[in-house]
Amino acid sequence: ISVSHTTRSPRSNELDGVDYHFVTNKIFENYIKQNKFYEYAKIFNNYYGTLKESVDELILKNDILFDIDWQGNKQLSKFKELKLTKVFILPPDKGELKKRLTNRNQDTQEIINKRLVEYSKDIVKWVDYDYVIINDNLENCVSQLEKIISDTKNKFKI
């Protein structure tokens, strides 16, 4: 899994360098100016982005899974050499999203409300993906994702 950079504060269960690379706005904006990102976006006043350097190192040895939003997908899709298979994973409905965000108890109510407002705008981006998975059951979701990855790897075998 590609480890993105972000300017948001770490949650209590997150580790720097494992979940994200947590950096300041100044550092992140310098990376933008230096064109160091394959993709980046500002989401709810925080930057998120994937450094080219880390991807280029990983891709020589492994397949990479990016956990990014539709904005990042749009930017990454411009790099044809990455041979992307794009999978859009979404909850069954807005009510379930609200329940999951609330139950994980990691975001303020303000952030949850912002995410729910953006849901309707975000969901229409599914057309930019190769596959869509409705995450109504975690085991089924993981199984579908594993099959997509396996099928894609077989497709690109030489």
Side-chain angles (χ1 to χ4, degrees):
I1 295 181
S2 169
V3 180
S4 299
H5 282 65
T6 185
T7 58
R8 77 161 168 75
S9 299
R11 296 179 178 126
S12 62
N13 63 333
E14 292 178 322
L15 297 173
D16 187 44
V18 175
D19 299 291
Y20 288 96
H21 296 286
F22 297 97
V23 297
T24 64
N25 276 312
K26 185 175 181 178
I27 291 172
F28 200 101
E29 288 168 355
N30 280 334
Y31 287 167
I32 292 171
K33 288 177 191 170
Q34 296 169 25
N35 195 31
K36 289 193 171 199
F37 290 109
Y38 270 120
E39 61 82 26
Y40 71 91
K42 195 166 192 177
I43 304 167
F44 305 126
N45 298 321
N46 292 300
Y47 283 113
Y48 295 83
T50 306
L51 281 183
K52 291 177 181 177
E53 181 181 355
S54 61
V55 169
D56 292 345
E57 287 174 14
L58 283 172
I59 208 162
L60 293 173
K61 303 176 217 161
N62 303 295
D63 299 318
I64 302 174
L65 183 63
F66 296 95
D67 180 8
I68 57 176
D69 78 338
W70 64 267
Q71 296 171 77
N73 172 61
K74 189 172 186 173
Q75 293 173 54
L76 270 182
S77 295
K78 295 175 185 175
F79 297 94
K80 301 300 181 198
E81 68 272 15
L82 293 178
K83 297 179 185 172
L84 300 174
T85 300
K86 300 173 287 184
V87 182
F88 192 73
I89 301 174
L90 65 156
D93 56 51
K94 193 173 184 177
E96 181 62 22
L97 175 62
K98 181 178 182 178
K99 179 179 153 190
R100 291 176 185 180
L101 291 172
T102 302
N103 288 345
R104 77 179 186 180
N105 201 27
Q106 294 180 339
D107 296 309
T108 65
Q109 191 58 50
E110 179 184 3
I111 294 293
I112 291 171
N113 290 341
K114 284 180 181 180
R115 290 193 63 177
L116 292 171
V117 167
E118 292 298 313
Y119 174 80
S120 298
K121 297 175 193 171
D122 293 348
I123 197 168
V124 298
K125 303 298 183 182
W126 70 268
V127 297
D128 297 328
Y129 291 76
D130 302 309
Y131 299 90
V132 176
I133 298 175
I134 307 297
N135 182 8
D136 56 356
N137 175 287
L138 184 58
E139 288 179 27
N140 289 342
C141 182
V142 170
S143 177
Q144 290 176 57
L145 186 56
E146 287 173 337
K147 180 163 180 13
I148 291 167
I149 291 169
S150 174
D151 289 351
T152 300
K153 288 174 91 165
N154 288 334
K155 179 177 144 183
F156 287 111
K157 277 189 179 174
I158 297 176

